[in-house]
Amino acid sequence: MEQKTDMESNGYEVIVVGAGAAGMMAAGTAARNGHKVLLLEKMEKSGRKVRITGKGRCNVTNARPPEEFASQVRTNADFFAPAFAEFNNKATIRFFERMGVKLDIERGERVFPRSGKAWDIANALLDYCVENGVKIVYDTQVLEILTVGDRVYGVKYRNKRGFVRQEECSRVIVATGGLSYPATGSTGDGYLFASDLGHTVEPVRPSLTPLRSSHPQVRNMHGLLLKNVRATLYVDNEPIREEFGELGFSERGIEGAVALRLSRDAVDALIDGKSVKIVVDMKPALDEEVLRNRIQREMAELQPEDMFSELLRKLVPRTMVIPLAEELDIHSQTYLRKITPEQIERLIKVLKGMVFPITDYAPFEYAVVTAGGVRCDEVNPYTMESRKVRGLYFAGEVLDLDANTGGYNLQIAFSTGRLAGMLKR
């Protein structure tokens, strides 16, 4: 049962700020190791962001081998390595299964709860805290981390009744998340705490976020999902990154796993004022000659009085027919007998490389994670303790650590949270 009463001074040794994935893992671990732990959460319940991840299914981790996993960490992978070694993806799977959550490994080695419910993961983390004696207080916002000299001695907070109080302790773990999905409580508090205490905060920006395009056909492609495509990101007309998989289109922008993975580099390039575009190969398994032969076979099976749209329906999803015809500047109801060889060559070129100029990116409200954060070289990678303030620890998204989509970012939260909670008495 979630505890919602205000706390009284009880000689807490550890205060954890933020009851998300990293915070609950840190709090439960510290309490299990014999510490008296207080977990403060400004929202009305724990794990708000965990409960909506993976479209409500929660991609818990990724089961890839360590070297492959490390290649998916985009920032400060070397810093993350000790935390992952202490509590890796296999340990995460064992942890949740011991907490009673059955897991399945799906395509791309992504790990999900068998129930398909993210709530099971959030509730398991909460149970881990409660069973180990963590005192959890909700609707309570930490305002300041208190220090004397270079050492932590407590926190100042505002309780649910609006009164400002303080609680003393010798260790504080900051696990406040980033800025993505701010409605879940991730509003950048940890960056302010860190900055106030002398830490450098690398500029934060959305990562794994939809990308906005000026292509005139995008508005006609909302709801379209292209599968098994290859997309190449170009920055100042130079190919930077290539991804294979699903590409989706919505009112938020170009999304899907492929676009989200490309967005990390695209956002940085846009911020730097560079030109950005994505070139989409809708038929990556076919070279131009094989594709040309296929189109000829498809046309041979149709009648001269059939419409151009009939040919396109054999090549792309139905909702892509009109946008593709518009891109080619050929009316979809044009008779096939009127289609010229030059127009077929243009069709081949577009199928193998439709160009989407990228002009902007979706804000933090739609970003899966936040790039940037507390500089990792100012944190001990073997303990997660600040190198500037004794007794101050960081875990999760508040750090300058982010990875590709596919379960990697939650693993970062679990690994760094676990390590931060491994406090010596």
Side-chain angles (χ1 to χ4, degrees):
M1 180 178 293
E2 298 192 3
Q3 307 166 51
K4 295 190 178 180
T5 58
D6 197 10
M7 83 291 292
E8 59 279 340
S9 184
N10 277 315
Y12 294 105
E13 300 168 275
V14 182
I15 294 178
V16 180
V17 186
M24 286 191 283
M25 181 62 80
T29 301
R32 189 180 182 190
N33 289 343
H35 296 278
K36 195 167 186 179
V37 180
L38 174 64
L39 175 56
L40 300 179
E41 169 57 47
K42 70 179 182 181
M43 304 301 283
E44 79 289 351
K45 66 173 65 174
S46 61
R48 285 283 300 268
K49 187 174 179 182
V50 175
R51 296 171 194 271
I52 65 170
T53 58
K55 298 180 180 178
R57 294 184 63 218
C58 190
N59 188 177
V60 182
T61 186
N62 193 289
R64 293 186 188 280
E67 62 278 5
E68 292 183 24
F69 193 104
S71 71
Q72 300 298 315
V73 180
R74 300 296 306 277
T75 312
N76 294 309
D78 290 342
F79 171 86
F80 177 63
F84 187 71
E86 177 69 33
F87 192 77
N88 62 18
N89 46 5
K90 292 182 179 179
T92 294
I93 292 170
R94 288 194 300 269
F95 171 85
F96 284 106
E97 293 201 325
R98 286 171 181 166
M99 292 300 297
V101 182
K102 298 296 184 182
L103 302 173
D104 288 328
I105 300 176
E106 300 184 5
R107 181 171 52 85
E109 300 298 302
R110 297 175 300 161
V111 182
F112 290 89
R114 185 169 298 170
S115 65
K117 297 177 181 178
W119 282 67
D120 288 348
I121 299 300
N123 290 339
L125 288 166
L126 179 61
D127 289 345
Y128 180 56
C129 291
V130 173
E131 290 171 7
N132 286 293
V134 176
K135 176 64 178 293
I136 309 170
V137 182
Y138 299 95
D139 298 305
T140 298
Q141 182 172 7
V142 172
L143 304 173
E144 182 183 356
I145 296 172
L146 305 172
T147 58
V148 56
D150 65 348
R151 176 173 284 281
V152 160
Y153 80 85
V155 301
K156 182 183 292 185
Y157 64 92
R158 179 183 293 111
N159 64 21
K160 66 184 300 182
R161 292 183 293 276
F163 296 111
V164 175
R165 300 282 188 264
Q166 70 180 48
E167 182 73 29
E168 294 185 4
C169 67
S170 59
R171 288 154 174 168
V172 173
I173 300 174
V174 177
T176 49
L179 285 168
S180 57
Y181 295 125
T184 65
S186 298
T187 52
D189 299 357
Y191 305 135
L192 298 177
F193 299 150
S195 181
D196 288 345
L197 295 173
H199 274 276
T200 307
V201 177
E202 292 295 330
V204 294
R205 60 270 190 211
S207 185
L208 304 184
T209 195
L211 297 170
R212 306 270 172 79
S213 176
S214 59
H215 195 293
Q217 293 309 315
V218 165
R219 67 181 182 275
N220 297 321
M221 296 168 69
H222 291 179
L224 172 65
L225 180 66
L226 296 175
K227 297 182 178 181
N228 302 319
V229 302
R230 180 181 293 117
T232 305
L233 178 72
Y234 285 77
V235 175
D236 285 347
N237 290 318
E238 292 293 328
I240 298 298
R241 190 175 181 87
E242 183 178 278
E243 294 287 347
F244 178 87
E246 295 183 349
L247 196 68
F249 299 81
S250 76
E251 68 281 354
R252 294 178 292 274
I254 303 175
E255 49 187 15
V258 165
L260 295 186
R261 290 195 293 266
L262 294 177
S263 71
R264 180 65 168 78
D265 294 311
V267 169
D268 286 349
L270 288 168
I271 290 173
D272 291 341
K274 298 178 179 178
S275 68
V276 178
K277 65 183 178 183
I278 292 176
V279 178
V280 179
D281 182 349
M282 289 179 266
K283 300 293 178 183
L286 310 178
D287 62 26
E288 288 194 9
E289 185 58 31
V290 173
L291 179 57
R292 185 177 294 107
N293 291 335
R294 178 185 166 182
I295 291 172
Q296 289 172 353
R297 289 197 305 273
E298 300 288 4
M299 292 182 70
E301 294 176 2
L302 294 168
Q303 299 300 316
E305 300 306 312
D306 284 333
M307 304 299 180
F308 184 53
S309 60
E310 295 299 320
L311 173 62
L312 296 185
R313 284 175 187 169
K314 292 178 176 291
L315 299 171
V316 296
R318 181 179 295 271
T319 48
M320 184 66 190
V321 168
I322 297 302
L324 182 55
E326 293 284 344
E327 172 74 1
L328 296 166
D329 196 23
I330 303 173
H331 197 284
S332 63
Q333 299 303 301
T334 300
Y335 293 124
L336 275 180
R337 59 182 169 79
K338 292 187 175 182
I339 300 297
T340 67
E342 291 76 18
Q343 288 174 321
I344 293 298
E345 288 304 307
R346 169 68 175 151
L347 170 61
I348 293 169
K349 294 295 184 185
V350 171
L351 287 172
K352 294 295 292 178
M354 190 167 178
V355 179
F356 293 90
I358 303 301
T359 54
D360 201 358
Y361 50 89
F364 283 110
E365 284 79 2
Y366 304 112
V368 176
V369 295
T370 304
V374 177
R375 275 188 60 154
C376 289
D377 60 3
E378 297 176 356
V379 177
N380 186 332
Y382 297 97
T383 63
M384 295 293 124
E385 184 175 17
S386 164
R387 296 186 187 275
K388 293 176 174 288
V389 181
R390 287 181 293 168
L392 175 65
Y393 297 76
F394 297 98
E397 199 176 348
V398 71
L399 289 160
D400 184 19
L401 268 178
D402 65 285
N404 284 329
T405 184
Y408 304 102
N409 289 288
L410 264 181
Q411 183 63 53
I412 287 174
F414 297 140
S415 296
T416 57
R418 183 76 166 202
L419 193 53
M422 298 288 290
L423 302 161
K424 306 298 182 183
R425 289 191 64 81

